Coordinates of all heavy atoms in Angstrom, one line a residue:
M23 N 160.7 23.3 -175.8 CA 161.4 24.2 -175.0 C 160.7 25.4 -174.3 O 161.1 25.6 -173.1 CB 162.6 24.7 -175.9 CG 163.8 25.3 -175.1 SD 164.6 24.0 -174.2 CE 166.3 24.4 -174.5
P24 N 159.7 25.9 -174.8 CA 159.0 27.0 -174.2 C 158.4 26.4 -172.8 O 158.2 27.2 -171.8 CB 157.9 27.5 -175.1 CG 158.4 27.1 -176.5 CD 159.4 25.8 -176.2
G25 N 157.9 25.2 -172.8 CA 157.2 24.6 -171.7 C 158.3 24.5 -170.5 O 157.9 24.7 -169.3
L26 N 159.5 24.1 -170.8 CA 160.7 24.1 -169.8 C 160.9 25.4 -169.2 O 161.1 25.5 -168.0 CB 161.7 23.4 -170.5 CG 163.0 23.2 -169.6 CD1 162.7 22.2 -168.4 CD2 164.2 22.8 -170.4
I27 N 161.0 26.5 -170.1 CA 161.4 27.8 -169.5 C 160.2 28.3 -168.7 O 160.4 28.9 -167.6 CB 161.5 28.7 -170.7 CG1 162.9 28.4 -171.4 CG2 161.7 30.1 -170.2 CD1 163.2 29.0 -172.7
R28 N 158.9 27.9 -169.1 CA 157.7 28.5 -168.3 C 157.8 27.8 -167.0 O 157.5 28.3 -165.9 CB 156.5 28.1 -169.1 CG 155.2 28.7 -168.4 CD 153.8 28.4 -169.1 NE 154.1 28.6 -170.6 CZ 153.5 27.7 -171.5 NH1 152.8 26.8 -171.1 NH2 153.6 28.1 -172.8
G29 N 158.1 26.5 -166.9 CA 158.2 25.7 -165.6 C 159.2 26.3 -164.8 O 159.0 26.4 -163.5
V30 N 160.4 26.6 -165.2 CA 161.5 27.1 -164.4 C 161.1 28.5 -163.9 O 161.4 28.9 -162.8 CB 162.9 27.2 -165.3 CG1 163.9 27.9 -164.6 CG2 163.3 25.8 -165.6
A31 N 160.6 29.3 -164.7 CA 160.1 30.7 -164.4 C 159.1 30.6 -163.2 O 159.2 31.2 -162.2 CB 159.6 31.4 -165.5
R32 N 158.2 29.7 -163.3 CA 157.1 29.5 -162.4 C 157.7 29.1 -161.1 O 157.3 29.6 -160.0 CB 156.0 28.5 -162.9 CG 154.9 28.3 -161.8 CD 153.8 27.2 -162.2 NE 153.3 27.9 -163.5 CZ 152.8 27.0 -164.5 NH1 153.0 25.7 -164.4 NH2 152.3 27.5 -165.6
T33 N 158.6 28.2 -161.0 CA 159.3 27.7 -159.9 C 160.1 28.9 -159.2 O 160.0 29.1 -158.0 CB 160.3 26.5 -160.2 OG1 159.6 25.4 -160.8 CG2 161.0 26.1 -158.9
A34 N 160.7 29.7 -160.0 CA 161.5 30.8 -159.3 C 160.5 31.7 -158.8 O 160.7 32.3 -157.7 CB 162.3 31.5 -160.5
V35 N 159.4 32.0 -159.3 CA 158.4 33.0 -158.8 C 157.9 32.4 -157.5 O 157.8 33.2 -156.5 CB 157.3 33.4 -159.7 CG1 156.1 34.0 -159.1 CG2 157.8 34.0 -160.9
V36 N 157.5 31.2 -157.4 CA 156.9 30.6 -156.2 C 158.0 30.6 -155.2 O 157.7 31.0 -154.0 CB 156.4 29.2 -156.5 CG1 156.1 28.4 -155.3 CG2 155.2 29.2 -157.4
A37 N 159.3 30.2 -155.4 CA 160.3 30.3 -154.5 C 160.5 31.6 -153.9 O 160.7 31.8 -152.6 CB 161.5 29.5 -155.0
G38 N 160.6 32.5 -154.8 CA 160.9 34.0 -154.3 C 159.8 34.5 -153.4 O 160.0 35.2 -152.5
T39 N 158.5 34.2 -153.9 CA 157.3 34.6 -153.0 C 157.4 33.9 -151.7 O 157.1 34.7 -150.7 CB 156.0 34.2 -153.8 OG1 156.0 34.9 -155.0 CG2 154.8 34.8 -153.0
A40 N 157.8 32.7 -151.6 CA 157.7 32.0 -150.3 C 158.9 32.6 -149.4 O 158.5 32.7 -148.2 CB 158.0 30.5 -150.6
T41 N 159.9 32.9 -150.0 CA 161.0 33.5 -149.2 C 160.6 34.8 -148.8 O 160.9 35.2 -147.6 CB 162.3 33.7 -150.1 OG1 162.6 32.3 -150.6 CG2 163.4 34.2 -149.3
A42 N 160.0 35.6 -149.6 CA 159.6 37.0 -149.1 C 158.5 36.9 -148.0 O 158.7 37.7 -147.0 CB 159.0 37.7 -150.4
V43 N 157.6 36.0 -148.1 CA 156.5 35.9 -147.1 C 157.2 35.4 -145.9 O 156.9 35.9 -144.6 CB 155.5 34.9 -147.5 CG1 154.5 34.5 -146.4 CG2 154.7 35.5 -148.7
S44 N 158.1 34.4 -145.9 CA 158.8 33.9 -144.7 C 159.6 35.0 -144.0 O 159.6 35.0 -142.7 CB 159.7 32.7 -145.0 OG 160.4 32.3 -144.0
N45 N 160.2 35.8 -144.8 CA 161.0 36.9 -144.1 C 160.0 37.8 -143.4 O 160.4 38.4 -142.3 CB 162.0 37.6 -145.1 CG 163.2 36.7 -145.7 OD1 163.4 35.7 -144.9 ND2 163.6 37.0 -146.7
R46 N 159.1 38.2 -144.1 CA 158.1 39.2 -143.5 C 157.5 38.6 -142.2 O 157.3 39.4 -141.2 CB 157.0 39.5 -144.6 CG 156.1 40.6 -143.9 CD 155.1 41.1 -145.0 NE 154.3 42.2 -144.5 CZ 153.0 42.1 -144.5 NH1 152.3 41.0 -144.8 NH2 152.2 43.0 -143.9
V47 N 157.2 37.4 -142.1 CA 156.6 36.8 -141.0 C 157.6 36.8 -139.9 O 157.4 37.2 -138.7 CB 156.1 35.3 -141.3 CG1 155.7 34.6 -140.0 CG2 154.9 35.4 -142.1
T48 N 158.9 36.4 -140.2 CA 160.0 36.5 -139.1 C 160.1 37.9 -138.5 O 160.3 38.1 -137.4 CB 161.2 36.0 -139.8 OG1 161.0 34.7 -140.3 CG2 162.4 36.0 -138.8
R49 N 160.2 38.8 -139.5 CA 160.4 40.2 -138.9 C 159.2 40.7 -138.0 O 159.4 41.4 -137.1 CB 160.5 41.2 -140.2 CG 161.9 41.2 -140.7 CD 162.2 42.4 -141.8 NE 161.0 42.4 -142.8 CZ 161.2 41.9 -143.9 NH1 162.2 41.1 -144.2 NH2 160.2 42.0 -144.8
R50 N 158.0 40.3 -138.4 CA 156.8 40.7 -137.7 C 156.9 40.0 -136.3 O 156.6 40.7 -135.2 CB 155.6 40.3 -138.3 CG 154.6 41.4 -138.6 CD 153.3 41.0 -139.2 NE 153.2 39.7 -139.5 CZ 152.2 39.2 -140.1 NH1 151.1 39.9 -140.3 NH2 152.1 37.9 -140.4
Q51 N 157.3 38.8 -136.3 CA 157.4 38.1 -135.0 C 158.5 38.7 -134.0 O 158.3 38.9 -133.0 CB 157.7 36.5 -135.2 CG 156.5 35.7 -135.7 CD 156.8 34.4 -136.0 OE1 158.0 34.0 -136.1 NE2 155.7 33.5 -135.9
Q52 N 159.6 38.9 -134.7 CA 160.6 39.6 -133.9 C 160.2 40.9 -133.3 O 160.5 41.3 -132.2 CB 161.9 39.7 -134.7 CG 162.5 38.3 -135.0 CD 163.7 38.6 -135.9 OE1 163.9 39.5 -136.6 NE2 164.5 37.5 -135.9
G53 N 159.5 41.8 -134.2 CA 159.0 43.0 -133.7 C 158.0 42.9 -132.5 O 158.1 43.6 -131.5
R54 N 157.1 41.8 -132.5 CA 156.2 41.6 -131.4 C 157.0 41.2 -130.1 O 156.6 41.6 -129.0 CB 155.2 40.6 -131.8 CG 154.1 40.9 -132.8 CD 153.2 39.9 -133.2 NE 152.2 40.4 -134.1 CZ 151.5 39.6 -134.9 NH1 151.5 38.2 -134.6 NH2 150.7 40.0 -135.7
W55 N 157.9 40.3 -130.2 CA 158.6 39.8 -129.2 C 159.5 40.8 -128.5 O 159.5 41.0 -127.3 CB 159.5 38.6 -129.6 CG 158.7 37.4 -129.9 CD1 157.5 37.1 -129.5 CD2 159.2 36.3 -130.7 NE1 157.1 35.8 -130.1 CE2 158.1 35.4 -130.9 CE3 160.3 36.1 -131.4 CZ2 158.3 34.1 -131.6 CZ3 160.5 34.9 -132.2 CH2 159.4 33.9 -132.2
A56 N 160.0 41.7 -129.4 CA 160.8 42.9 -128.9 C 160.0 43.8 -128.1 O 160.5 44.5 -127.2 CB 161.5 43.5 -130.0
A57 N 158.7 43.9 -128.4 CA 157.7 44.8 -127.9 C 157.4 44.4 -126.4 O 156.9 45.2 -125.6 CB 156.5 45.1 -128.6
Q58 N 157.4 43.1 -126.2 CA 157.1 42.5 -125.0 C 158.1 42.9 -123.9 O 159.3 42.9 -124.2 CB 156.9 41.1 -125.0 CG 155.7 40.5 -125.8 CD 155.6 39.0 -126.0 OE1 156.6 38.3 -125.5 NE2 154.7 38.5 -126.6
E59 N 157.6 43.1 -122.6 CA 158.6 43.5 -121.7 C 159.5 42.3 -121.2 O 159.1 41.2 -121.1 CB 157.7 43.9 -120.4 CG 158.7 44.3 -119.2 CD 157.7 44.7 -118.1 OE1 156.6 45.1 -118.2 OE2 158.3 44.7 -116.9
G60 N 160.8 42.6 -121.2 CA 161.7 41.7 -120.9 C 162.2 40.7 -121.9 O 163.0 39.7 -121.6
Y61 N 161.7 40.8 -123.1 CA 162.2 39.9 -124.2 C 163.7 40.1 -124.4 O 164.1 41.1 -124.6 CB 161.4 40.1 -125.6 CG 161.9 39.3 -126.6 CD1 161.6 38.0 -126.7 CD2 162.7 40.0 -127.6 CE1 162.1 37.2 -127.7 CE2 163.2 39.1 -128.7 CZ 162.9 37.8 -128.6 OH 163.3 36.9 -129.6
G62 N 164.3 38.9 -124.5 CA 165.7 38.9 -124.9 C 166.6 39.1 -123.6 O 167.8 39.1 -123.9
V63 N 166.1 39.3 -122.5 CA 167.0 39.7 -121.4 C 166.9 38.4 -120.5 O 165.8 38.0 -120.0 CB 166.4 40.9 -120.6 CG1 167.3 41.1 -119.4 CG2 166.4 42.1 -121.4
Y64 N 168.0 37.9 -120.4 CA 168.2 36.6 -119.6 C 169.0 36.9 -118.3 O 170.0 37.4 -118.4 CB 168.9 35.6 -120.2 CG 169.1 34.3 -119.5 CD1 168.0 33.4 -119.1 CD2 170.4 34.0 -118.9 CE1 168.2 32.3 -118.4 CE2 170.7 32.9 -118.2 CZ 169.5 32.1 -117.9 OH 169.7 31.0 -117.2
S65 N 168.3 36.9 -117.2 CA 168.8 37.2 -115.9 C 168.7 35.9 -115.0 O 167.6 35.9 -114.3 CB 168.4 38.4 -115.3 OG 166.9 38.3 -115.1
P66 N 169.6 35.1 -114.9 CA 169.5 33.9 -114.1 C 169.5 34.2 -112.6 O 170.0 35.3 -112.2 CB 170.7 33.0 -114.4 CG 171.7 34.0 -114.8 CD 171.0 35.1 -115.5
Q67 N 168.8 33.5 -111.9 CA 168.6 33.7 -110.4 C 170.0 33.3 -109.8 O 170.5 32.3 -110.2 CB 167.6 32.8 -109.8 CG 166.2 33.2 -110.4 CD 165.7 34.7 -110.0 OE1 166.1 35.2 -108.9 NE2 165.1 35.3 -110.9
P68 N 170.5 34.1 -109.0 CA 171.8 33.7 -108.3 C 171.6 32.5 -107.5 O 170.6 32.4 -106.8 CB 172.3 34.9 -107.6 CG 170.9 35.7 -107.3 CD 170.1 35.3 -108.5
Q69 N 172.6 31.6 -107.6 CA 172.5 30.4 -106.8 C 173.6 30.4 -105.8 O 174.7 30.6 -106.1 CB 172.5 29.1 -107.7 CG 171.3 29.1 -108.7 CD 171.4 27.9 -109.6 OE1 172.3 27.2 -109.5 NE2 170.5 27.8 -110.5
A70 N 173.2 29.9 -104.7 CA 174.2 29.9 -103.6 C 175.0 28.7 -103.8 O 174.6 27.5 -104.1 CB 173.6 29.8 -102.2
V71 N 176.3 28.7 -103.6 CA 177.3 27.7 -103.8 C 177.5 27.1 -102.4 O 178.2 27.8 -101.6 CB 178.5 28.0 -104.5 CG1 179.5 26.9 -104.6 CG2 178.2 28.7 -105.9
A72 N 177.3 25.9 -102.2 CA 177.4 25.4 -100.9 C 178.8 24.9 -100.7 O 179.4 24.3 -101.6 CB 176.5 24.1 -100.7
E73 N 179.5 25.4 -99.6 CA 180.8 25.1 -99.4 C 181.0 23.5 -98.9 O 180.1 23.2 -98.0 CB 181.5 26.0 -98.3 CG 181.7 27.4 -98.8 CD 182.7 27.5 -100.0 OE1 183.8 26.7 -99.7 OE2 182.5 28.2 -100.9
P74 N 181.8 22.8 -99.3 CA 181.9 21.5 -98.9 C 182.3 21.5 -97.4 O 183.1 22.5 -97.0 CB 183.0 20.8 -99.7 CG 183.7 21.9 -100.3 CD 182.8 23.0 -100.4
P75 N 182.1 20.5 -96.6 CA 182.6 20.5 -95.2 C 184.2 20.3 -95.2 O 184.7 20.0 -96.2 CB 182.0 19.1 -94.7 CG 180.9 18.8 -95.6 CD 181.2 19.4 -96.9
A76 N 184.8 20.9 -94.1 CA 186.2 21.0 -94.2 C 186.8 19.6 -94.2 O 187.8 19.6 -94.8 CB 186.6 21.6 -92.7
S77 N 186.3 18.6 -93.6 CA 186.8 17.2 -93.7 C 186.8 16.8 -95.2 O 187.9 16.1 -95.6 CB 186.1 16.3 -92.8 OG 184.8 16.2 -93.3
D78 N 185.8 17.1 -95.9 CA 185.7 16.7 -97.3 C 186.8 17.4 -98.1 O 187.4 16.8 -99.0 CB 184.4 17.0 -97.9 CG 184.1 16.5 -99.3 OD1 184.6 15.4 -99.6 OD2 183.5 17.2 -100.2
M79 N 187.0 18.7 -97.8 CA 188.0 19.5 -98.5 C 189.4 19.0 -98.2 O 190.3 18.9 -99.0 CB 187.9 20.9 -98.1 CG 188.9 21.8 -98.9 SD 188.6 21.8 -100.6 CE 187.3 22.9 -100.8
A80 N 189.6 18.6 -97.0 CA 190.9 17.9 -96.6 C 191.2 16.7 -97.4 O 192.3 16.3 -97.8 CB 191.1 17.8 -95.1
D81 N 190.2 15.9 -97.6 CA 190.3 14.6 -98.3 C 190.6 14.8 -99.8 O 191.4 14.2 -100.3 CB 189.0 13.8 -98.3 CG 188.7 13.3 -96.8 OD1 189.7 13.2 -96.0 OD2 187.5 12.9 -96.6
K82 N 190.0 16.0 -100.3 CA 190.2 16.3 -101.7 C 191.6 16.7 -101.9 O 192.4 16.4 -102.9 CB 189.3 17.2 -102.1 CG 187.9 16.7 -102.5 CD 186.9 17.7 -103.1 CE 185.6 17.1 -103.4 NZ 184.7 18.1 -104.1
I83 N 192.1 17.5 -101.0 CA 193.5 18.1 -101.0 C 194.5 16.9 -100.9 O 195.5 16.8 -101.7 CB 193.7 19.0 -99.9 CG1 192.9 20.3 -100.3 CG2 195.3 19.4 -99.7 CD1 192.9 21.4 -99.1
E84 N 194.2 16.0 -100.1 CA 195.1 14.8 -99.9 C 195.2 13.9 -101.2 O 196.2 13.5 -101.8 CB 194.7 14.0 -98.8 CG 195.5 12.6 -98.6 CD 197.0 12.9 -98.4 OE1 197.3 14.0 -97.8 OE2 197.8 12.0 -98.7
Q85 N 194.0 13.8 -101.8 CA 193.9 13.0 -103.1 C 194.6 13.8 -104.1 O 195.2 13.1 -105.0 CB 192.4 12.8 -103.5 CG 191.6 11.7 -102.5 CD 190.3 11.6 -102.8 OE1 189.7 12.3 -103.5 NE2 189.5 10.5 -102.2
L86 N 194.5 15.1 -104.2 CA 195.2 15.9 -105.3 C 196.6 15.7 -105.0 O 197.5 15.6 -106.0 CB 194.8 17.3 -105.1 CG 193.4 17.7 -105.8 CD1 193.0 19.1 -105.6 CD2 193.4 17.4 -107.3
R87 N 197.1 15.8 -103.8 CA 198.6 15.5 -103.5 C 199.0 14.2 -104.0 O 200.1 14.0 -104.6 CB 198.8 15.8 -102.1 CG 200.3 15.7 -101.6 CD 200.6 15.8 -100.1 NE 200.0 14.6 -99.5 CZ 200.5 13.3 -99.6 NH1 201.6 13.2 -100.2 NH2 200.1 12.4 -99.0
Q88 N 198.4 13.2 -103.8 CA 198.6 11.9 -104.2 C 198.6 11.8 -105.6 O 199.6 11.1 -106.3 CB 197.6 10.7 -103.7 CG 197.7 10.5 -102.2 CD 196.7 9.7 -101.5 OE1 195.8 9.3 -102.3 NE2 196.8 9.4 -100.3
L89 N 197.7 12.3 -106.4 CA 197.7 12.4 -107.9 C 198.9 13.1 -108.3 O 199.6 12.7 -109.4 CB 196.4 13.0 -108.4 CG 195.1 12.3 -108.3 CD1 194.0 13.2 -108.6 CD2 195.3 11.1 -109.3
G90 N 199.3 14.2 -107.7 CA 200.5 14.9 -108.1 C 201.8 14.1 -108.1 O 202.7 14.1 -108.8
E91 N 201.8 13.2 -106.9 CA 202.9 12.5 -106.7 C 203.0 11.3 -107.8 O 204.2 11.0 -108.3 CB 202.9 11.7 -105.3 CG 203.2 12.8 -104.2 CD 203.0 12.1 -102.8 OE1 202.7 10.9 -102.7 OE2 203.2 12.8 -101.8
L92 N 201.9 10.7 -108.1 CA 201.8 9.7 -109.2 C 202.3 10.3 -110.5 O 203.0 9.6 -111.3 CB 200.4 9.1 -109.2 CG 200.0 8.2 -108.1 CD1 198.5 7.8 -108.3 CD2 200.9 7.0 -108.0
R93 N 202.0 11.5 -110.7 CA 202.3 12.2 -111.9 C 203.8 12.4 -112.0 O 204.5 12.1 -113.0 CB 201.6 13.5 -112.2 CG 202.0 14.2 -113.4 CD 201.4 15.5 -113.7 NE 201.8 16.4 -112.4 CZ 201.5 17.5 -112.2 NH1 200.7 18.2 -113.0 NH2 201.8 18.2 -111.2
T94 N 204.3 12.9 -110.9 CA 205.8 13.1 -110.7 C 206.6 11.8 -110.9 O 207.6 11.8 -111.6 CB 206.1 13.7 -109.4 OG1 205.4 14.9 -109.3 CG2 207.5 14.1 -109.2
Q95 N 206.1 10.7 -110.4 CA 206.8 9.4 -110.5 C 206.6 8.8 -112.0 O 207.2 7.9 -112.3 CB 206.2 8.4 -109.6 CG 206.5 8.8 -108.1 CD 205.6 8.0 -107.1 OE1 204.9 7.2 -107.4 NE2 205.9 8.2 -105.9
G96 N 205.8 9.4 -112.8 CA 205.5 8.8 -114.2 C 204.5 7.8 -114.2 O 204.3 7.2 -115.3
V97 N 203.7 7.5 -113.1 CA 202.7 6.5 -113.3 C 201.5 7.1 -114.1 O 200.9 6.3 -114.7 CB 202.3 6.2 -111.8 CG1 201.2 5.2 -111.8 CG2 203.4 5.7 -111.0
L98 N 201.2 8.4 -113.9 CA 200.1 9.0 -114.6 C 200.7 9.9 -115.6 O 201.7 10.6 -115.4 CB 199.3 9.8 -113.7 CG 198.4 9.2 -112.6 CD1 197.6 10.1 -111.8 CD2 197.4 8.2 -113.3
T99 N 200.2 10.0 -116.9 CA 200.5 11.0 -117.9 C 199.8 12.4 -117.5 O 198.9 12.4 -116.6 CB 200.0 10.6 -119.3 OG1 198.6 10.6 -119.3 CG2 200.6 9.3 -119.7
E100 N 200.3 13.4 -118.1 CA 199.7 14.7 -117.8 C 198.2 14.7 -118.1 O 197.3 15.3 -117.3 CB 200.4 15.7 -118.6 CG 199.9 17.2 -118.2 CD 200.4 17.6 -116.9 OE1 201.3 17.1 -116.4 OE2 199.6 18.4 -116.3
A101 N 197.8 14.0 -119.1 CA 196.4 14.0 -119.6 C 195.5 13.3 -118.5 O 194.4 13.7 -118.1 CB 196.2 13.4 -121.0
E102 N 196.2 12.1 -118.1 CA 195.4 11.2 -117.0 C 195.3 12.1 -115.7 O 194.2 12.1 -115.1 CB 196.1 10.0 -116.8 CG 196.1 9.0 -117.9 CD 197.1 7.8 -117.8 OE1 198.1 8.1 -117.1 OE2 196.8 6.7 -118.3
F103 N 196.3 12.9 -115.4 CA 196.3 13.6 -114.2 C 195.2 14.7 -114.2 O 194.5 14.8 -113.3 CB 197.7 14.2 -113.9 CG 197.7 15.2 -113.0 CD1 197.7 14.9 -111.5 CD2 197.7 16.6 -113.2 CE1 197.7 15.8 -110.5 CE2 197.6 17.6 -112.1 CZ 197.7 17.1 -110.8
E104 N 195.2 15.4 -115.3 CA 194.2 16.4 -115.5 C 192.8 15.8 -115.5 O 191.9 16.4 -114.9 CB 194.4 17.2 -116.8 CG 195.6 18.0 -116.9 CD 195.6 19.1 -115.7 OE1 194.5 19.8 -115.6 OE2 196.7 19.4 -115.1
E105 N 192.5 14.7 -116.0 CA 191.2 14.2 -116.1 C 190.9 13.7 -114.7 O 189.7 14.0 -114.2 CB 191.3 12.8 -117.0 CG 189.9 12.1 -117.0 CD 188.8 12.9 -117.5 OE1 188.9 13.8 -118.2 OE2 187.6 12.5 -117.2
Q106 N 191.6 13.1 -113.9 CA 191.6 12.6 -112.5 C 191.3 13.9 -111.7 O 190.3 13.9 -110.7 CB 192.5 11.8 -111.9 CG 192.7 10.4 -112.6 CD 191.5 9.6 -112.4 OE1 190.8 9.6 -111.4 NE2 191.0 9.0 -113.6
K107 N 192.0 14.9 -111.8 CA 191.9 16.2 -111.1 C 190.5 16.8 -111.3 O 189.8 17.2 -110.4 CB 192.9 17.2 -111.4 CG 192.9 18.4 -110.6 CD 194.1 19.3 -110.9 CE 193.9 20.1 -112.2 NZ 194.8 21.0 -112.3
R108 N 190.0 16.8 -112.7 CA 188.7 17.2 -113.0 C 187.7 16.6 -112.3 O 186.7 17.2 -111.7 CB 188.6 17.3 -114.5 CG 187.3 18.0 -115.0 CD 187.1 17.8 -116.5 NE 187.0 16.4 -116.9 CZ 185.9 15.5 -116.7 NH1 184.8 16.1 -116.1 NH2 185.8 14.3 -117.1
R109 N 187.7 15.1 -112.3 CA 186.7 14.4 -111.8 C 186.6 14.6 -110.3 O 185.5 14.7 -109.7 CB 186.9 12.9 -112.0 CG 186.7 12.5 -113.5 CD 186.9 11.1 -113.6 NE 186.7 10.6 -115.0 CZ 186.9 9.3 -115.4 NH1 187.4 8.5 -114.6 NH2 186.7 9.1 -116.6
L110 N 187.8 14.7 -109.7 CA 187.8 14.8 -108.1 C 187.3 16.2 -107.7 O 186.4 16.3 -106.8 CB 189.3 14.8 -107.8 CG 189.6 15.1 -106.3 CD1 188.9 13.8 -105.4 CD2 191.1 15.0 -105.9
L111 N 187.5 17.2 -108.5 CA 187.1 18.6 -108.1 C 185.6 18.7 -108.5 O 184.8 19.6 -107.8 CB 187.9 19.6 -108.8 CG 189.2 19.7 -108.3 CD1 190.1 20.8 -109.1 CD2 189.4 20.0 -106.9
Q112 N 185.0 18.0 -109.5 CA 183.7 18.1 -109.8 C 182.8 17.4 -108.9 O 181.6 17.8 -108.6 CB 183.3 17.7 -111.3 CG 183.8 18.6 -112.3 CD 183.5 18.1 -113.7 OE1 183.1 16.9 -113.8 NE2 183.7 19.1 -114.7
G113 N 183.2 16.3 -108.4 CA 182.3 15.4 -107.6 C 182.8 15.1 -106.2 O 182.6 15.1 -105.3

């Protein structure tokens, strides 16, 4: 029995030491990164959003109107309508 207790105690000491070292390394790295200029600050570059040509927009509006009519007639469910609308507006 004493050998078993010794083995458990040794395992606990090793695990505790490993945890303490790991935490110390993590804190040190975070301190170094925080000291660097601009660390943790994310500022994405503004991107211009291209407006679709007027004729393309008119086509999308017409397709949305048709989808709305199909939903009103009961051909499309609300979920199907929303999915088609999402696809149309994304692409």
Side-chain angles (χ1 to χ4, degrees):
M23 197 61 135
L26 179 63
I27 294 173
R28 188 178 315 140
V30 170
R32 182 179 298 146
T33 301
V35 168
V36 169
T39 303
T41 301
V43 170
S44 174
N45 289 341
R46 182 167 183 247
V47 169
T48 300
R49 281 193 306 271
R50 238 185 354 178
Q51 285 176 342
Q52 287 174 345
R54 286 180 184 168
W55 291 337
Q58 291 177 356
E59 185 178 331
Y61 172 74
V63 178
Y64 176 71
S65 56
Q67 298 296 325
Q69 296 179 0
V71 177
E73 290 294 321
S77 63
D78 187 41
M79 184 58 77
D81 291 341
K82 286 185 179 184
I83 291 172
E84 177 60 26
Q85 289 175 349
L86 282 172
R87 186 185 63 73
Q88 291 173 356
L89 284 173
E91 289 175 4
L92 291 172
R93 180 186 58 183
T94 304
Q95 294 169 0
V97 175
L98 291 177
T99 65
E100 187 65 31
E102 292 170 332
F103 171 76
E104 290 298 324
E105 175 64 22
Q106 292 301 319
K107 182 175 80 170
R108 183 186 62 79
R109 286 183 182 176
L110 178 65
L111 294 176
Q112 283 182 349

